[in-house]
Amino acid sequence: MASEGSSEMQASTVEAAQSNGIAVQANKRVKLHGRAFYESIGSPKIVLAPMVEQSEFAWRLLSRSFLPPPARSSLLAYSPMFHSKMFGENPKYRDSHFQPLKTPIASPPDAYHTSQLSEADSYLDGHPEMDRPLTVQFCSNDPDEFLNAAKHVAPFCDAVDLNLGCPQGIARRGNYGAFLQEDWALVGKMIRKLHEELEVPVTAKMRVLETKEKTLEYAKVLLDAGASIITVHGRQREQKGHNTGLADWSTIRYLRENLPKGTVIFANGNILQHEDIAKCLEETGADAVMSAEGNLHDPTIFAEPPPVGEEGREYWRGRDGKGGYRVDAVFRRYMDIIYQCALGQPPPTRKPLFLPSDPEAPLEPEKQEEKEKEKDEQNQKQEQEGPPRKKQRRAQPHPETPQPKSDDKQQQKLKNPNLTPMQAHLFHMLRPLVAMHHNVRDALARCRVGDIDGFEKVLRLVEEAVKQGLIDAANEREHDCTTPATDDTTPAEDAPAALPTDPYTSSLAAVARCKRPWWVCQPYVRPLPKEAIEKGSMQLSKKEKKRLEAQEEEERKAGLVPGGRDENVEVPKEGVVCG
């Protein structure tokens, strides 16, 4: 098995300079493999997952920014998934998705040209000081196309990853991702091609299959072909959308116990909060933990919370000890990164984030009345003017009429891979806030790619909302402290009912554990499939209904309660939650 050879490679690279998955010894470049490669990039324990148009440079930099500066390289980040054929053959696609240099990447790849580049030529993706370690991921179903695309990015990353986990319909139509898991021969050919011919290591990200035994055999195919690392998503291909459900950590543990000890395994799934990372490492025995959706809703998920008393202005902590980074603080950091890296200009000067303890007092009753009066006057004015006028359809210019050329800067914005995902990122991060503050939701919905003024307006609205939320919370806390306690006890019938603790039947416990005030970054807990069906947001197919009916009939014959589970089945511990 390829992973077993890592010890031999390790021995040959003692006292060698290690960088970019390459060991330099006696002026000879030797590609590292397996655990030797993993150790060369610092043996990271936390991994930012590849997400289509969602794990771009600016988001990776934001996620790293909450770690202490010396620890930022301890986070291994993946690029968004790129299409190998389009990346290798289409310069516009390549240049608008991956920008490691201030000039376009040479195509076909030119080793001599690359060797003449200096750090001054580096731009964003794979920047030696800001964006390492970095793995670039591709979807592919052709070994030659996969290799061609990988050669374009190899000088600017530490490894190249093959996506074998995408479960979406577009992957089915394109015959890639999780829909290659039946074609083990093709998967093996693609990985072996890069293992033998690419200058940096190749890795693979897969999903669990129907059984632990079959998952193990599939993993062996990837490792035997030359994968240095396998990332295992603990969900099957059918688990997506409302049917996402729980990831199966026990299968990842099974792989850990049945693969060679030197095998490097990353675990993916069920990571909602920072505390889940350590639990996942313990439960699975994996070398590192990857987070995708958890990071989208809370880009601070990889960072330790600050010590009590050292929260500063960015972190909020409640009386129960639970806390998180404020959304206005994270939003500010994100915008500053966009200014500095995507736009190449300094961010605007901003006032310090609001704290209730600041000298500035909360809105006085007179000012509040004045503000409400102003709002009433605006409403009256709108009523007098009547409903908004219908937009007039613009006349279409004659085909022969010369049109003004579009602004180059605007075109540059539209092609910038760090600007296109901004709206989606903010809707993820502000999900609890926009559910309550519809003016923020509407303003964000009106933003378009490159509309920095629009996003700045949304930031101002978010800051105002968070400020008022903090004031209300401070006033409520003060009221609770001044209200005299009574000796009355809550009758048993009025006591809150205990939440279901079985993670297979209810997500309520996970919701309660993760719940924070709406001004704090927090995960989105998906309802379990059973809950989604009960709410009517998901319907079973005829095939699935027949399968369940047959299963219930077998359970009745066996004397079991339909829908019940054998007591001997292993129930995941506290760390296994919806994600």
Side-chain angles (χ1 to χ4, degrees):
M1 186 173 295
S3 59
E4 294 174 330
S6 61
S7 59
E8 299 176 7
M9 184 68 72
Q10 215 169 356
S12 67
T13 57
V14 175
E15 298 180 355
Q18 297 178 349
S19 176
N20 192 34
I22 300 293
V24 181
Q25 184 180 21
N27 297 324
K28 183 178 180 181
R29 293 164 62 88
V30 181
K31 182 169 74 171
L32 298 176
H33 179 73
R35 188 158 295 277
F37 160 65
Y38 175 61
E39 292 174 352
S40 76
I41 59 174
S43 302
K45 295 295 182 185
I46 47 178
V47 186
L48 173 57
M51 297 171 282
V52 179
E53 296 186 359
Q54 296 282 272
S55 58
E56 75 289 350
F57 172 83
W59 194 255
R60 299 194 297 266
L61 196 61
L62 176 67
S63 300
R64 284 189 167 112
S65 73
F66 291 94
L67 299 172
R72 288 174 185 171
S73 60
S74 66
L75 171 63
L76 169 60
Y78 280 58
S79 74
M81 182 193 76
F82 303 135
H83 192 287
S84 65
K85 182 178 177 64
M86 296 181 66
F87 195 94
E89 298 178 0
N90 189 328
K92 290 184 178 180
Y93 177 89
R94 183 170 57 246
D95 296 339
S96 63
H97 285 78
F98 192 71
Q99 300 176 341
L101 301 173
K102 297 173 183 176
T103 57
I105 304 173
S107 185
D110 185 344
Y112 175 77
H113 172 75
T114 303
S115 67
Q116 302 304 304
L117 297 173
S118 66
E119 188 173 323
D121 298 305
S122 300
Y123 183 39
L124 299 179
D125 296 287
H127 192 284
E129 299 298 325
M130 298 186 290
D131 198 29
R132 291 298 183 93
L134 174 68
T135 295
V136 176
Q137 189 189 67
F138 292 100
C139 65
S140 186
N141 55 21
D142 182 277
D144 293 326
E145 291 175 355
F146 187 26
L147 178 62
N148 181 39
K151 284 183 175 180
H152 284 82
V153 302
F156 315 107
C157 65
D158 296 280
V160 170
D161 187 76
L162 176 60
N163 183 310
L164 298 172
C166 182
Q168 304 304 325
I170 190 172
R172 178 193 292 274
R173 295 189 294 273
N175 189 36
Y176 59 80
F179 298 94
L180 292 180
Q181 66 188 28
E182 282 83 21
D183 195 344
W184 293 8
L186 175 59
V187 169
K189 286 179 182 178
M190 288 193 290
I191 294 176
R192 186 172 293 105
K193 183 82 171 177
L194 268 66
H195 176 57
E196 295 175 350
E197 301 183 36
L198 190 66
E199 65 181 85
V200 298
V202 59
T203 64
K205 185 173 186 291
M206 56 175 279
R207 286 188 169 232
V208 298
L209 304 186
E210 295 82 5
T211 65
K212 294 179 179 179
E213 294 75 16
K214 193 172 182 180
T215 304
L216 176 63
E217 294 305 310
Y218 186 38
K220 288 180 178 179
V221 170
L222 310 184
L223 294 166
D224 287 337
S228 283
I229 297 172
I230 56 169
T231 300
V232 184
H233 189 163
R235 294 182 175 90
Q236 296 183 32
R237 182 172 60 194
E238 294 72 26
Q239 290 181 267
K240 58 183 179 179
H242 291 300
N243 194 37
T244 296
L246 293 171
D248 181 7
W249 284 0
S250 66
T251 297
I252 303 176
R253 165 62 75 173
Y254 180 81
L255 296 182
R256 173 79 287 167
E257 294 173 347
N258 289 275
L259 289 171
K261 292 183 179 179
T263 305
V264 183
I265 303 175
F266 294 168
N268 181 211
N270 291 352
I271 306 301
L272 290 178
Q273 294 178 301
H274 180 77
E275 295 79 5
D276 296 330
I277 296 174
K279 293 173 184 176
C280 182
L281 289 171
E282 180 183 357
E283 290 295 308
T284 63
D287 293 278
V289 173
M290 176 182 283
S291 174
E293 192 171 47
N295 169 262
L296 284 181
H297 291 277
D298 181 8
T300 74
I301 192 170
F302 299 112
E304 293 275 359
V308 176
E310 299 180 18
E311 292 84 0
R313 293 181 179 271
E314 290 191 319
Y315 195 89
W316 177 90
R317 183 177 270 117
R319 284 177 292 180
D320 58 359
K322 293 181 178 181
Y325 281 89
R326 291 166 43 173
V327 292
D328 55 344
V330 180
F331 195 167
R332 274 193 180 189
R333 280 205 195 191
Y334 183 40
M335 289 299 294
D336 289 351
I337 289 172
I338 291 297
Y339 278 108
Q340 294 170 340
C341 298
L343 302 178
Q345 63 189 57
T349 303
R350 306 185 191 278
K351 295 180 181 179
L353 290 168
F354 171 80
L355 285 178
S357 59
D358 287 343
E360 180 185 357
L363 284 176
E364 300 175 0
E366 295 81 5
K367 292 186 177 180
Q368 182 69 25
E369 291 178 3
E370 182 178 350
K371 191 173 182 180
E372 292 178 357
K373 183 178 180 181
E374 181 181 354
K375 187 176 181 180
D376 291 339
E377 290 177 353
Q378 290 179 353
N379 292 336
Q380 291 177 3
K381 185 177 179 181
Q382 289 178 357
E383 291 177 0
Q384 292 174 358
E385 293 177 351
R389 296 180 180 179
K390 184 177 180 180
K391 292 184 178 180
Q392 298 295 321
R393 184 177 180 181
R394 294 183 179 179
Q396 297 296 324
H398 191 276
E400 297 181 359
T401 304
Q403 298 298 312
K405 294 183 178 180
S406 59
D407 184 50
D408 291 339
K409 290 185 179 180
Q410 182 64 20
Q411 288 298 317
Q412 185 179 1
K413 288 180 181 179
L414 296 176
K415 293 179 181 179
N416 194 314
N418 296 291
L419 298 182
T420 51
M422 287 182 66
Q423 186 187 61
H425 276 314
L426 293 171
F427 267 120
H428 277 116
M429 190 174 71
L430 301 176
R431 183 185 180 99
L433 187 147
V434 299
M436 297 185 62
H437 297 270
H438 294 175
N439 62 326
V440 178
R441 178 198 63 190
D442 296 342
L444 181 55
R446 287 192 291 268
C447 291
R448 295 295 178 262
V449 176
D451 181 13
I452 302 302
D453 291 339
F455 287 112
E456 281 288 343
K457 178 182 178 181
V458 176
L459 175 57
R460 290 192 296 271
L461 293 175
V462 168
E463 290 176 344
E464 291 174 6
V466 172
K467 176 180 178 180
Q468 191 59 48
L470 291 171
I471 292 173
D472 294 342
N475 292 338
E476 183 179 350
R477 179 180 298 186
E478 183 178 350
H479 177 267
D480 292 342
C481 293
T482 56
T483 302
T486 62
D487 294 333
D488 296 337
T489 56
T490 304
E493 60 270 16
D494 295 334
L499 293 174
T501 58
D502 187 347
Y504 280 106
T505 59
S506 175
S507 62
L508 294 180
V511 171
R513 179 171 70 90
C514 298
K515 185 68 174 177
R516 300 290 186 273
W518 50 262
W519 60 80
V520 172
C521 289
Q522 56 194 284
Y524 167 56
V525 181
R526 289 181 179 273
L528 293 173
K530 179 182 177 182
E531 295 170 319
I533 292 173
E534 291 174 352
K535 292 179 180 179
S537 55
M538 185 178 88
Q539 293 183 347
L540 294 176
S541 63
K542 293 180 180 179
K543 182 178 179 180
E544 185 66 15
K545 287 180 180 178
K546 289 183 179 180
R547 187 189 68 79
L548 289 177
E549 289 173 358
Q551 180 178 331
E552 290 179 1
E553 183 62 28
E554 291 179 1
E555 290 173 348
R556 288 192 185 93
K557 291 180 181 179
L560 298 175
V561 177
R565 296 201 310 279
D566 192 317
E567 293 181 356
N568 295 324
V569 175
E570 181 181 0
V571 177
K573 295 185 179 179
E574 185 182 353
V576 182
V577 291
C578 295

